[in-house]
Amino acid sequence: MPGFEEIKKFLEAADSGLRLIGDEHLVQTADGKTLKIIPQSIEAVLKRDDSDGNPFLQVNFVGGYKVLLTKHLIGFKPSEGYGLDETRLPKVVTTPDLLSIIDVIADAEDFDQTEFDILRKVYLSILDGGEAVGFDLSRERKWLSQLNIFIATA
């Protein structure tokens, strides 16, 4: 399991906002989300640097899924579809982005249905992308259904 050992070393050296619980659960301190990493499912671990020179790991899994591990967050690709302009979506998102979208919706004074629909689609894209890599986002899925009810009655 050399790939998993590289992840452990990265987390130890990074003074990270990510931590391992046991041998398979990677916890993101920013929002408490846990990603189960099965060591046998790791295809490759690539060491990279972002545009500012900060190191991160790209973890490729059997099945084609990828995550990026930075010092503080687990990044993943949003799900495609939903009729969104893919060139306007970020290439990498994180689970805290879901809360940011909820905050934007909650803080909006005048709500335009078209704007809500776009935000809902972006939210679903992030939600589906996160679930595809292994996050349990059932609570965040409930938030969206509650917002749909709220917007419908506003």
Side-chain angles (χ1 to χ4, degrees):
M1 292 181 269
F4 196 68
E5 290 303 317
E6 289 178 66
I7 293 171
K8 283 183 177 180
K9 287 179 188 174
F10 175 78
L11 296 177
E12 290 168 2
D15 186 29
S16 178
L18 302 177
R19 59 188 166 82
L20 281 171
I21 296 180
D23 285 335
E24 295 183 343
H25 294 91
L26 185 58
V27 179
Q28 183 173 259
T29 306
D31 63 358
K33 289 294 172 197
T34 301
L35 181 66
K36 184 175 183 178
I37 297 180
I38 300 168
Q40 298 84 347
S41 69
I42 297 172
E43 188 173 273
V45 176
L46 308 168
K47 295 178 184 178
R48 310 258 181 180
D49 290 323
D50 67 16
S51 58
D52 294 328
N54 298 312
F56 68 91
L57 294 181
Q58 176 181 319
V59 182
N60 298 345
F61 295 98
V62 175
Y65 295 106
K66 299 177 187 178
V67 295
L68 303 180
L69 306 181
T70 70
K71 287 176 69 171
H72 301 288
L73 296 168
I74 302 167
F76 52 90
K77 184 178 178 180
S79 180
E80 295 179 356
Y82 296 104
L84 293 167
D85 179 356
E86 303 299 327
T87 63
R88 298 189 69 185
L89 275 177
K91 292 182 186 216
V92 177
V93 294
T94 64
T95 55
D97 291 329
L98 294 167
L99 185 55
S100 296
I101 293 171
I102 294 294
D103 287 344
V104 167
I105 293 170
D107 290 344
E109 290 182 25
D110 294 329
F111 226 111
D112 177 275
Q113 187 63 41
T114 304
E115 292 170 341
F116 174 72
D117 288 342
I118 291 169
L119 287 172
R120 185 179 60 75
K121 290 175 183 179
V122 171
Y123 189 91
L124 284 168
S125 177
I126 296 170
L127 195 67
D128 289 348
E131 288 176 337
V133 298
F135 282 106
D136 174 7
L137 299 173
S138 53
R139 181 178 60 178
E140 288 75 7
R141 198 165 283 284
K142 287 179 187 174
W143 290 350
L144 186 62
S145 64
Q146 291 170 344
L147 271 176
N148 284 332
I149 292 167
F150 172 75
I151 296 302
T153 60

